[in-house]
Structures are given as structure tokens and as C-alpha cells.
Amino acid sequence: MKFEIITLFPDYFSLSLKQSLIGKAWDKKLFDIEIIHLRDFATDKHRTVDDAPFGGGGGMVLKVEPLDRCLHALGYQRRQDGGNADRPERIILTSAAGKLFSQRRAIEYSLLERVVMICGHYLGVDERIIELYDIDEVSIGDYVLSGGEPAAVVMVDAIARLIPKVLGNFESALDDSHMDQLVGAPVYTRDAEYAGLTVPEELLSGNHAEIRIFRRAQAIAKCAKNRPDLLDNADLTKQELKILNENKND
Ligand code: SAH
């Protein structure tokens, strides 16, 4: 898998993606990341990549031309020339107006061979880039960032940890939040008692079947507390639904 990040601020990534699990996996070449400087695709001597918006209003817009040239240099075809929809690759445009990123999308992208991310800036990117190429316009949440770089880091992290061998113990990821439409169960470690607070005794029992059931119940309870919206689509058993309804008021 290769990530290519198109940006005006290449230094943004030099620390963030080189840390911890993702940084180590990149070192081990479990995937590759190339940072591409959009200004390299400008043609004038000032390396201009932005301009004022048509229709007025303040701010600047990233021009379509340098992006078009950049995607062409990366080997992508415009839609009119066949596009890239049938390749195991995707171009993502980071955008507050995009479709919401999710664990499901992270899983889908992690199965691809190549993911290109375009980081917008200022007012955003000239809309025609989306018309020219097969592009997924993706938002990481309902708020506005000053640039697409943090969004690209978030998405690379979420996607890369799903690539085989990146996580030491992939099985543990199956219990993560959003892997089964629920949130993850609370976790605890030693000491078994701290400041008068004890770890639930079910977790100390050593009985794995009991622990699994207990964790599932805790995950459902936490989901009901923090993200009740997720429960509508969660795959709950009849018994779990019954218990949930009985405890609705808690
Ligand atoms: N005027 C735009 C916001 C531009 S913010 C609007 O109303 O939607 C500048 C850039 O930051 C965007 O082009 C995008 O690349 C990035 N960005 C901002 N918020 C984002 C979000 N929630 N998710 C992903 N990218 C975002």
C-alpha cells in the first residue's frame, strides 16, 4: 500500500507520521508514504497555486491547474479519458463538505494498493478537480480545520493500522470501537484497586467466556451512554435488546 499526500505544507508530516506504531510500520516498509509538494506543479516563477474566488468574498482558492498537473504526473487519467474507478486506488480530497470518514471507510481504503490524499487550504479547492477526476470528497467530522493536513494524518493513521502486520495483535483491533457498530469496552490494568476504585471482578475471574460476555455488556452500556445513535444499527441479540430496554432509564 502506498499513500501519496499532496500538500502545501510538507513539513507538517515529518513528525506526526513518524511516531509510534505508524512510524515504526513505515520504517519496516509495511506501507510507504510519499509527501508531494503541490508548488512543484505550479508553472510560474512565483510557484502560484492559489487565486481569489470568482464571485467575490475574501480568501483564496487552490487552483485546479496545478492539481490537475499533479494527478496527471501521478499517473491518473481524467474521467473523460477513462478515469481510475476500476483501479485498486482512490483519490481522496479532504473537505469539510465531504462524506464522513468512518471505520468502515478506513477498512475499505486499507484493502487498496494506493491512496492519494489532497490537502486543501484557505477557502478550499476549485470544485472542477472533482469533476475532472474520480475523487472521494471526505470529511473527518462536522467542524472546519484550517487545512487538510490534520485530516490526512488522521485518515492515514486509521487506515494504516489496519494493514496486515502493522498492529502487533490484530485480534485486539476486532474489539475496537466502531469495528462492530458499537464502542469498545472499558479497559483496566494493574493495580486491581486504585484510590478505592476496583476493577470489575468479572475481569479477574480468568473465565474467558464470562469475560467476553461481560465486556460485550459493558460496551453496550457505554454505547448507550455516549453514542446511543449507534445502537440503532448495532447487531444486538434479542436478550441484549431486552436488557437495554429494561435499563433505558439508567
Ligand atoms: N470553505 C470550506 C472550508 C475550507 S477549510 C467549507 O466551507 O467547506 C480549508 C481546508 O481544510 C479544506 O479545503 C479541507 O482540505 C480542509 N478541511 C477543513 N475541515 C475539514 C474536515 N472536517 N475534514 C477534512 N478536511 C477538512
Side-chain angles (χ1 to χ4, degrees):
M1 152 79 97
K2 180 161 189 197
F3 297 96
E4 283 153 315
I5 303 176
I6 303 170
T7 177
L8 286 177
F9 299 93
D11 291 345
Y12 189 93
F13 302 93
S14 53
L15 267 180
S16 53
L17 288 172
K18 295 206 167 131
Q19 306 297 312
S20 183
L21 193 113
I22 300 300
K24 279 191 197 128
W26 185 8
D27 275 350
K28 282 197 222 156
K29 302 190 170 36
L30 296 178
F31 54 82
D32 192 19
I33 305 175
E34 189 180 343
I35 308 296
I36 296 162
H37 198 342
L38 183 59
R39 283 197 198 282
D40 292 344
F41 297 88
T43 46
D44 64 323
K45 73 171 193 281
H46 300 297
R47 304 174 85 206
T48 308
V49 289
D50 57 338
D51 206 339
F54 279 120
M60 299 297 264
V61 175
L62 287 189
K63 287 160 72 71
V64 64
E65 192 195 347
L67 272 173
D68 182 20
R69 207 169 296 116
C70 179
L71 291 176
H72 181 74
L74 291 177
Y76 287 100
Q77 287 184 330
R78 292 179 178 175
R79 270 191 227 259
Q80 68 195 45
D81 301 323
N84 59 278
D86 56 353
R87 291 160 47 165
E89 309 186 352
R90 211 71 108 244
I91 307 169
I92 297 176
L93 172 65
T94 58
S95 161
K99 294 184 177 154
L100 271 185
F101 189 63
S102 62
Q103 189 67 11
R104 183 178 292 257
R105 271 181 194 275
I107 294 169
E108 269 171 39
Y109 290 132
S110 74
L111 301 173
L112 299 172
E113 288 173 14
R114 187 181 187 201
V115 174
V116 178
M117 294 191 191
I118 303 171
C119 301
H121 245 276
Y122 318 119
L123 287 178
V125 177
D126 188 313
E127 189 74 9
R128 287 169 292 180
I129 198 67
I130 305 170
E131 292 164 39
L132 276 177
Y133 290 89
D134 292 309
I135 287 184
D136 294 354
E137 200 180 349
V138 181
S139 163
I140 61 162
D142 291 342
Y143 40 80
V144 180
L145 303 165
S146 54
E149 286 74 14
V153 169
V154 165
M155 289 191 276
V156 168
D157 188 300
I159 298 166
R161 67 193 288 283
L162 298 170
I163 292 171
K165 300 202 183 80
V166 172
L167 289 176
N169 176 5
F170 188 77
E171 257 184 39
S172 67
L174 299 177
D175 293 328
D176 277 338
S177 295
H178 309 297
M179 288 300 272
D180 63 356
Q181 310 296 339
L182 289 173
V183 300
V187 290
Y188 305 85
T189 186
R190 276 181 289 200
D191 294 335
E193 185 181 338
Y194 183 76
L197 299 172
T198 52
V199 171
E201 63 190 44
E202 288 85 345
L203 296 177
L204 308 175
S205 70
N207 178 338
H208 292 291
E210 189 185 345
I211 290 173
R212 214 176 39 248
I213 292 168
F214 179 75
R215 282 197 170 134
R216 169 103 179 151
Q218 286 223 307
I220 295 171
K222 200 180 200 30
C223 201
K225 179 171 164 238
N226 292 344
R227 293 295 306 274
D229 55 306
L230 295 180
L231 288 174
D232 292 340
N233 294 322
D235 198 9
L236 302 182
T237 64
K238 276 193 187 135
Q239 201 196 355
E240 285 167 347
L241 276 171
K242 190 165 160 261
I243 297 173
L244 201 60
N245 282 327
E246 283 166 4
N247 293 287
K248 228 179 199 163
N249 297 332
D250 300 335

